[in-house]
């Protein structure tokens, strides 16, 4: 028997989940891979890339599949000509039924060739993974959306609900032109929908590649940067003074490091920990039960915080990410700055966190400001059974026996711009990923099988949504 036909049975919660190992790609997957490769290899970093070009390439594929020009809406603004995007529309048969929106960003985080093992802008398939900047975040989903729309058109599919796809730029950089924000504020009619499907939700694989759970994102934290700044007259380094800008900043950072924001629960995170409890080791299970009962239980909190994934969603987190101080090796510093990046729990405002930082630092020499505001705090979307039900039912069919949870993302997505304007946005992928995938870091990768499974799952799910009753 060839390797291409070998099936590996992964056991999870007493159920067998079939996983095809080293399977040869189906013909339709080969076509998808070519589309995925084209998008991944189109540089869309803010510094040197071009989202407008990437959007045009994807639009060309849609047009070749039969989409008329009137259903392809390119958008950009004069001040940001390289940061454009695309909205594509497949009209539905029922004009009274609200649309379903498929959202993905096509910009990527910066990547330096000298730091990477492989060229970050060349798609490499190796040992069961695709490697490249954007291979996972978020060109995997963007490619799936384009591919799905192409397939719908080629098979002559006429959905009951209108299907919309938005490819946007600017998600990865605070302060950059953001396509989702632009559409929400200026072209709402283009993207108006009952709800949107976005990045942010996925399942987890353990170290052996076994599924731990399948997850749907319902809500996310607010990302906000804060600047700590100390200014000083300075002077000659031969005459040290007790009032040193770097020391003031260093003491402030130590206080921020030591501070712990209070534990909080939302409907989503309470649901998450309740569902997760049964799958956890004894100590984690006991800590979850205790903390759900009493969020001030310090011992339970300490146990759960050992897991970075759990720690990231238990409360607001603030961490130092950048430092800049001094102007000469032989001079006392005249200025010292640090950036603190906070991921703020829903229900807490960015101003409230600023005031907390000021109280924690308790040094009038340290000025705390917000250099830019990405977006206002966004309430989580509802735990809507019309959205979650079909997604979970399909996941149970494709991955029988794997526990299903609802997640709050510790990161921030473009859903923060859509949910507040009445388009509740959910992170749904049907994919599973292991730890250490290099997203936003070195050697970003995605499991080949996970990508193909995600493609199959989302194609089927969107059709289910497209035919569902209001």
């Amino acid at each position: 028997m060839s390797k291409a036909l070998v099936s590996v049975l992964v056991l999870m919660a007493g159920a067998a989940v079939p996983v095809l190992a080293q399977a040869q790609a189906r013909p339709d997957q080969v076509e998808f891979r070519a589309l995925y490769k084209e998008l991944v290899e189109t540089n869309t970093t803010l510094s040197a890339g071009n989202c407008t070009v990437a959007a045009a390439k994807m639009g060309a594929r849609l047009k070749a599949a039969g989409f008329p020009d009137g259903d392809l809406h390119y958008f950009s603004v004069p001040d940001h000509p390289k940061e454009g995007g695309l909205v594509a529309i497949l009209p539905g048969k029922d004009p009274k039924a609200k649309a379903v929106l498929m959202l993905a960003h096509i910009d990527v985080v910066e990547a330096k060739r000298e730091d990477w093992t492989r060229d970050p802008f060349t798609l490499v398939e190796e040992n069961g993974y695709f490697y490249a900047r954007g291979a996972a975040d978020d060109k995997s989903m963007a490619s799936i959306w384009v591919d799905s729309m192409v397939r719908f058109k080629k098979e002559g599919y006429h959905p009951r609900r209108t299907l919309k796809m938005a490819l946007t730029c600017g998600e990865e950089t605070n302060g950059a032109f953001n396509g989702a924000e632009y559409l929400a504020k200026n072209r709402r009619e283009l993207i108006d929908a009952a709800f949107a499907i976005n990045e942010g939700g996925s399942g987890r694989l353990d170290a052996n590649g076994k599924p731990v759970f399948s997850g749907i994102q319902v809500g996310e934290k607010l990302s906000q940067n804060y600047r700590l700044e100390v200014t000083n007259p300075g002077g000659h380094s031969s005459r040290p003074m007790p009032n040193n800008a770097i020391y003031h900043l260093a003491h402030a950072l130590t206080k921020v490091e030591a501070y712990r924001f209070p534990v909080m629960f939302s409907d989503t995170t309470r649901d998450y920990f309740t569902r997760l409890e049964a799958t956890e080791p004894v100590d984690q299970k006991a800590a979850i039960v205790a903390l759900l009962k009493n969020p001030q239980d310090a011992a339970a909190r300490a146990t759960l915080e050992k897991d970075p994934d759990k720690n990231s969603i238990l409360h607001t987190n603030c961490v130092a990410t950048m430092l800049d101080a001094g102007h000469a090796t032989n001079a006392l510093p005249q200025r010292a700055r640090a950036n603190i990046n906070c991921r703020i729990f829903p229900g807490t405002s960015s101003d409230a966190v600023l005031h907390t930082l000021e109280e924690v630092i308790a040094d009038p020499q340290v000025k705390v400001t917000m250099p830019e505001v990405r977006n206002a705090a966004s309430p989580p979307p509802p735990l809507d059974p019309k959205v979650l039900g079909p997604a979970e039912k399909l996941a149970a069919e494709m991955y029988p026996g794997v526990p299903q949870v609802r997640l709050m993302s510790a990161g921030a997505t473009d859903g923060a711009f859509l949910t507040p304007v009445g388009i509740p946005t959910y992170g749904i992928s049907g994919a599973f990923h292991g730890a250490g995938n290099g997203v936003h870091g070195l050697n970003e990768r995605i499991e080949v099988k996970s990508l193909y499974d995600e493609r199959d799952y989302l194609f089927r799910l969107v059709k289910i949504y497209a035919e569902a009753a209001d």
Side-chain angles (χ1 to χ4, degrees):
M1 183 180 292
S2 68
K3 269 191 173 182
L5 299 177
V6 175
S7 290
V8 179
L9 292 179
V10 175
L11 300 179
M12 178 65 189
V17 182
V19 178
L20 193 63
Q22 302 295 325
Q24 186 173 351
R26 307 188 308 251
D28 62 297
Q29 291 172 337
V30 172
E31 294 180 14
F32 165 71
R33 189 187 189 282
L35 184 159
Y36 174 61
K37 176 180 173 67
E38 180 179 38
L39 184 57
V40 167
E41 294 187 351
T42 303
N43 188 328
T44 52
T45 58
L46 184 62
S47 64
N50 196 316
C51 286
T52 304
V53 168
K57 290 180 178 180
M58 296 301 99
R61 286 182 174 271
L62 293 170
K63 186 172 182 178
F67 277 83
D69 289 337
D71 290 335
L72 300 175
H73 304 269
Y74 299 94
F75 64 92
S76 63
V77 296
D79 294 343
H80 300 273
K82 295 183 179 181
E83 297 162 53
L86 168 67
V87 175
I89 298 176
L90 183 63
K93 293 181 291 186
D94 185 351
K96 295 181 179 180
K98 294 201 73 172
V100 176
L101 175 64
M102 297 169 280
L103 175 68
H105 68 87
I106 54 176
D107 61 310
V108 297
V109 170
E110 303 292 335
K112 295 182 178 180
R113 175 64 186 93
E114 59 268 27
D115 296 336
W116 283 54
T117 303
R118 308 159 193 81
D119 182 348
F121 298 105
T122 299
L123 184 68
V124 175
E125 183 176 351
E126 186 177 299
N127 298 325
Y129 292 91
F130 285 124
Y131 290 86
R133 174 57 88 221
D137 185 17
D138 184 31
K139 290 182 175 178
S140 56
M141 179 166 274
S143 298
I144 288 170
W145 292 148
V146 176
D147 171 74
S148 294
M149 293 289 267
V150 166
R151 293 165 72 189
F152 292 150
K153 197 69 173 180
K154 285 185 175 180
E155 69 180 32
Y157 175 55
H158 297 290
R160 188 179 81 84
R161 293 175 180 267
T162 293
L163 297 177
K164 299 181 178 183
M165 180 197 73
L167 304 181
T168 63
C169 198
E171 194 270 353
E172 296 291 12
T173 308
N174 284 6
F177 170 76
N178 185 284
E181 180 182 24
Y182 170 82
L183 291 170
K185 290 181 176 179
N186 301 283
R187 300 298 306 275
R188 169 61 188 275
E189 78 286 352
L190 273 183
I191 60 169
D192 190 41
F195 61 91
I197 312 172
N198 187 31
E199 64 171 334
S202 66
R204 185 193 301 168
L205 300 173
D206 67 15
N208 296 315
K210 296 180 180 179
V212 177
F213 62 75
S214 173
I216 295 175
Q217 180 211 345
V218 188
E220 61 188 60
K221 282 184 165 183
L222 170 66
S223 175
Q224 180 60 55
N225 288 317
Y226 296 87
R227 177 180 295 144
L228 308 188
E229 184 170 15
V230 186
T231 56
N232 194 286
H236 201 286
S237 60
S238 65
R239 300 177 67 250
M241 305 287 287
N243 187 20
N244 184 297
I246 290 178
Y247 294 157
H248 276 285
L249 182 64
H251 295 320
L253 292 173
T254 299
K255 291 177 181 178
V256 173
E257 177 191 16
Y259 181 72
R260 295 293 181 267
F261 286 84
V263 170
M264 301 178 70
F265 289 106
S266 66
D267 289 345
T268 299
T269 59
R270 185 172 291 278
D271 181 270
Y272 168 75
F273 281 109
T274 300
R275 288 171 177 247
L276 190 68
E277 174 201 330
T279 70
E280 292 293 288
V282 174
D283 62 330
Q284 295 277 312
K285 181 176 181 178
I288 289 172
V289 172
L291 205 61
L292 286 171
K293 184 177 180 181
N294 176 17
Q296 297 181 4
D297 188 319
R301 170 180 178 150
T303 297
L304 295 183
E305 285 182 337
K306 293 176 183 178
D307 182 336
D309 289 331
K310 295 186 182 73
N311 178 61
S312 69
I313 61 171
L314 280 172
H315 40 63
T316 294
N317 286 302
C318 291
V319 61
T321 55
M322 296 182 71
L323 284 171
D324 175 23
H327 61 285
T329 59
N330 58 352
L332 300 177
Q334 296 171 187
R335 188 182 304 275
R337 296 185 184 125
N339 187 81
I340 302 293
N341 181 256
C342 295
R343 302 301 172 124
I344 302 172
F345 201 94
T348 303
S349 71
S350 54
D351 286 334
V353 173
L354 185 148
H355 295 319
T356 297
L357 292 174
E358 290 177 331
E359 292 174 358
V360 168
I361 293 168
D363 183 349
Q365 296 291 321
V366 181
K367 183 179 181 182
V368 185
T369 60
M370 288 186 281
E372 79 285 312
V373 176
R374 180 177 185 267
N375 57 274
S378 172
L383 295 171
D384 187 348
K386 291 183 180 179
V387 179
L388 303 181
E392 292 176 341
K393 182 178 180 181
L394 181 59
E397 178 186 331
M398 291 183 63
Y399 313 111
V402 177
Q404 300 191 38
V405 299
R406 286 85 177 264
L407 310 167
M408 179 186 73
S409 175
T413 76
D414 280 338
F417 298 109
L418 270 60
T419 297
V421 299
I423 307 175
T425 302
Y426 300 84
I428 307 176
S429 72
F432 294 88
H433 304 300
N437 62 359
V439 170
H440 287 204
L442 292 176
N443 305 314
E444 181 177 345
R445 68 183 187 177
I446 187 173
E447 298 85 350
V448 173
K449 182 186 182 318
S450 287
L451 179 64
Y452 289 151
D453 285 349
E454 180 180 1
R455 174 178 178 258
D456 290 343
Y457 174 88
L458 288 174
F459 181 76
R460 293 176 62 184
L461 181 63
V462 169
K463 274 195 170 183
I464 292 169
Y465 286 143
E467 301 304 324
D470 294 334

